[in-house]
Amino acid sequence: MSKVIITGNTLTIEEVVSVCRNYYEVELSESAKEKVVSSRQIVDDFVENGDVVYGITTGFGKFSDVSISREESELLQRNLIVTHAVGAGNPFETEVVRGIMLLRINNLAKGYSGVKLETLQTMVNMLNKRVHPIVPQKGSLGASGDLAPLSHMVLPMIGLGSAEYNGVTMSGAEAMKAAGLPVITLTSKEGLALINGTQVMTSVGCLTVCDALNLIKASDIAAALSFEAHNGIVDALDHKVHEVRPHKGQMDTAKILLKLLSGSKMTTRQGEIRVQDAYSLRCTPQVHGASKDAINYVKERIEIEINSVTDNPIIFPETREGISGGNFHGQPMALSFDFLGIALAELANISERRLERLVNPALSGLPAFLVEHGGLNSGFMIVQYSAAALVSENKVLAHPASVDSIPSSANQEDHVSMGTIAARKAKEIMENVRRVLAMEIMCACQGIDLRTNNGLGAGTAPVYNKVREYVPVLKEDRPLYEDINICEELIIDGTIIDVCEKGIGEIKF
């Protein structure tokens, strides 16, 4: 079994994906264990000395001015979890829950949170033994962290709530017992340390960014196939055009498209058929490139966040301080995930326009709706309708969540990020974009056949051939959703990218 070593400082997006989707196990490094023990000793000293430290010897939020005795500390932490577990909506997918747990483990392993080593090890054991708490998707304001969903994550640890074990949902207590794991009793600071952070929004966003990085490769492939179906003009991809406006994503996209189309007999040069193409073809480098730059920016923010301390108060063993700050505030992630959603939505916007040009005989010169004997056959007419509906839905979803805020905890917590909403919206947008790209790939392949396939590019030919292994040319109407499902699955499982990269090498941006 492959394993990820948790240090608190070195976790990568690739490792997150391995744990979430490939069920890699995790293990605390010795240095992390030492830091956790050291941090915990400081908290014990605060309690012993009666020091006033938020969430340790005081209540929470508006109750921060209420003193809590040492004898009440355990009940305080338990009450925190049970009262904050008020999530709503459908539960997160298992992969997201695994990401939440992993990121919280990594956060606590940094040694600034004051949890007991036994508590942290319980989380590690749950992850490795596949005890996955049932965590509702809705109910987080994104500051003070993801309080409600993280509380649901904690419930099975104390014998409450619900969890999935070996794919079966049961009570949290039953799941822990079935996995051979003892439930725990939280003590001073631990409840707060477990729920005060951005790990829910970051788990959703991290997996979405991973998918987005692959999706943008698929969008370049889809565009290249549409280029060939339209006999597109490759002069617009000339490196000289893009070097005089040197945005990295734009230059990369032009280079990738030329590589995909290398050797194609289906593209044209300026003036051979027409002088210039419509924007949805000619401006592909500018549009896809801007989305590439945006997605890479978000990836950098996530790489910072997954190895950051997002707790409150933060325990500093070096100076023996517990300082109340605002690292739980999700604004850096909220803005990033809103940006991610917008960047992804644009990939579908331009894809749908390329698809429309394919099915519209006035724009393509191909048979109407890409089918012979139109009238009797509707062909791909309603594919464009569906794509347009998804694109319009994305426009609603792309409205930024981070511009909203609402006061909570009697106005003590008077500005919040809505970052978890931003992450969830970005994920939904990504799924819609993937569907639209699958539709474009399907229609582009049909357009290539109707145009007469005289020979495709080094990158597009293997993709076309792979699609045609599963989706035959449409000669008369049949249920098209099945064909779209196949094309989408070829994107999801990476097949389209794999066969393409075998032909031209890795697509880098």
Side-chain angles (χ1 to χ4, degrees):
M1 172 66 72
S2 299
K3 186 175 293 186
V4 172
I5 305 300
I6 301 297
T7 67
N9 303 305
T10 58
L11 190 63
T12 66
I13 290 176
E14 293 74 21
E15 287 175 329
V16 173
V17 173
S18 293
V19 171
C20 292
R21 293 177 172 168
N22 301 322
Y23 289 86
Y24 279 31
E25 291 190 351
V26 301
E27 181 181 314
L28 296 173
S29 68
E30 290 304 315
S31 63
K33 292 178 182 178
E34 292 171 3
K35 288 183 289 186
V36 169
V37 171
S38 175
S39 176
R40 179 63 209 175
Q41 185 58 57
I42 304 301
V43 172
D44 287 340
D45 291 345
F46 288 155
V47 175
E48 185 65 29
N49 298 334
D51 297 337
V52 178
V53 183
Y54 172 75
I56 300 176
T57 56
T58 75
F60 309 106
K62 184 63 176 176
F63 292 133
S64 60
D65 56 354
V66 177
S67 296
I68 304 296
S69 70
R70 179 172 55 182
E71 293 73 25
E72 296 172 318
S73 62
E74 287 185 5
L75 182 58
L76 173 71
Q77 301 302 317
R78 184 184 185 281
N79 286 348
L80 174 70
I81 301 302
V82 297
T83 60
H84 285 48
V86 290
N90 294 325
F92 281 114
E93 300 89 340
T94 298
E95 65 176 33
V96 172
V97 174
R98 288 182 64 81
I100 294 168
M101 297 172 74
L102 172 66
L103 297 182
R104 200 66 199 148
I105 289 167
N106 198 57
N107 179 90
L108 298 174
K110 293 181 72 69
Y112 292 95
S113 300
V115 297
K116 293 182 298 185
L117 181 58
E118 294 83 353
T119 299
L120 183 54
Q121 189 62 53
T122 295
M123 292 185 67
V124 170
N125 294 340
M126 289 173 66
L127 192 57
N128 288 341
K129 294 197 174 187
R130 306 186 186 185
V131 177
H132 305 129
I134 302 301
V135 180
Q137 294 189 24
K138 299 180 181 181
S140 174
L141 296 175
S144 300
D146 290 310
L147 294 174
L150 285 172
S151 294
H152 283 276
M153 180 201 73
V154 176
L155 285 176
M157 297 173 65
I158 59 176
L160 301 174
S162 299
E164 173 197 69
Y165 177 64
N166 286 338
V168 179
T169 299
M170 58 190 76
S171 74
E174 289 172 331
M176 295 292 280
K177 182 178 180 180
L181 298 175
V183 298
I184 62 173
T185 299
L186 301 175
T187 187
S188 48
K189 177 67 163 69
E190 291 195 297
L192 189 59
L194 287 165
I195 69 171
N196 211 343
T198 62
Q199 283 66 45
V200 175
M201 69 180 80
T202 308
S203 175
V204 176
C206 185
L207 292 171
T208 302
V209 159
C210 176
D211 291 335
L213 291 168
N214 286 322
L215 205 57
I216 202 159
K217 293 183 180 183
S219 70
D220 284 348
I221 293 167
L225 287 165
S226 287
F227 248 87
E228 292 176 309
H230 284 294
N231 296 140
I233 301 167
V234 294
D235 297 66
L237 306 176
D238 191 297
H239 68 94
K240 297 189 294 295
V241 172
H242 304 283
E243 286 169 357
V244 296
R245 194 198 191 194
H247 292 288
K248 184 179 184 302
Q250 177 180 328
M251 292 190 295
D252 287 345
T253 303
K255 190 182 300 182
I256 290 165
L257 289 173
L258 284 175
K259 202 171 182 182
L260 289 165
L261 296 168
S262 175
S264 177
K265 302 295 192 296
M266 298 289 288
T267 58
T268 61
R269 300 303 301 270
Q270 193 168 294
E272 288 180 350
I273 296 178
R274 55 190 173 273
V275 176
Q276 61 181 20
D277 285 320
Y279 286 4
S280 57
L281 288 175
R282 184 170 22 129
C283 298
T284 296
Q286 288 79 4
V287 176
H288 286 201
S291 290
K292 283 186 175 77
D293 289 340
I295 292 167
N296 275 324
Y297 168 82
V298 177
K299 179 175 179 282
E300 291 173 0
R301 300 307 99 189
I302 290 172
E303 288 169 339
I304 292 171
E305 190 74 358
I306 62 177
N307 290 297
S308 294
V309 177
T310 57
D311 200 354
N312 180 57
I314 299 173
I315 308 301
F316 294 95
E318 301 85 357
T319 57
R320 303 185 66 79
E321 293 177 288
I323 300 178
S324 288
N327 281 5
F328 51 73
H329 202 295
Q331 195 73 4
M333 292 293 95
L335 291 172
S336 296
F337 295 145
D338 278 336
F339 197 16
L340 174 62
I342 292 167
L344 284 167
E346 279 302 290
L347 295 178
N349 281 353
I350 195 169
S351 174
E352 184 276 332
R353 290 293 81 196
R354 292 190 297 255
L355 193 162
E356 159 62 13
R357 299 193 74 81
L358 283 166
V359 301
N360 188 331
L363 301 175
S364 68
L366 293 167
F369 307 113
L370 298 175
V371 69
E372 304 286 1
H373 311 299
L376 174 63
N377 293 300
S378 293
F380 295 86
M381 179 191 296
I382 308 302
V383 175
Q384 187 269 330
Y385 284 44
S386 183
L390 293 172
V391 164
S392 288
E393 182 177 315
N394 280 351
K395 291 171 185 175
V396 175
L397 291 170
H399 177 82
S402 57
V403 298
D404 187 27
S405 181
I406 193 166
S408 56
S409 195
N411 231 24
Q412 173 75 1
E413 299 167 3
D414 54 357
H415 182 279
V416 295
S417 75
M418 304 299 182
T420 310
I421 297 173
R424 288 174 40 238
K425 291 197 303 93
K427 180 177 185 292
E428 193 168 351
I429 290 169
M430 181 275 295
E431 292 167 349
N432 289 342
V433 173
R434 188 172 61 204
R435 187 72 172 180
V436 174
L437 290 174
M439 294 173 181
E440 181 186 1
I441 289 170
M442 179 183 70
C443 290
C445 288
Q446 180 79 2
I448 287 166
D449 286 316
L450 292 174
R451 189 79 72 186
T452 304
N453 183 352
N454 295 318
L456 303 180
T460 51
V463 173
Y464 168 88
N465 292 334
K466 180 57 68 173
V467 171
R468 283 288 174 254
E469 284 182 26
Y470 301 99
V471 180
V473 179
L474 185 73
K475 295 183 178 178
E476 56 185 30
D477 285 350
R478 62 172 182 259
L480 289 175
Y481 76 91
E482 296 173 349
D483 296 345
I484 299 169
N485 288 347
I486 290 169
C487 290
E488 185 174 12
E489 188 57 39
L490 292 173
I491 295 173
I492 292 171
D493 68 14
T495 297
I496 279 177
I497 295 169
D498 289 343
V499 298
C500 178
E501 292 186 330
K502 284 178 182 176
I504 64 170
E506 185 182 357
I507 298 173
K508 295 181 179 180
F509 56 89

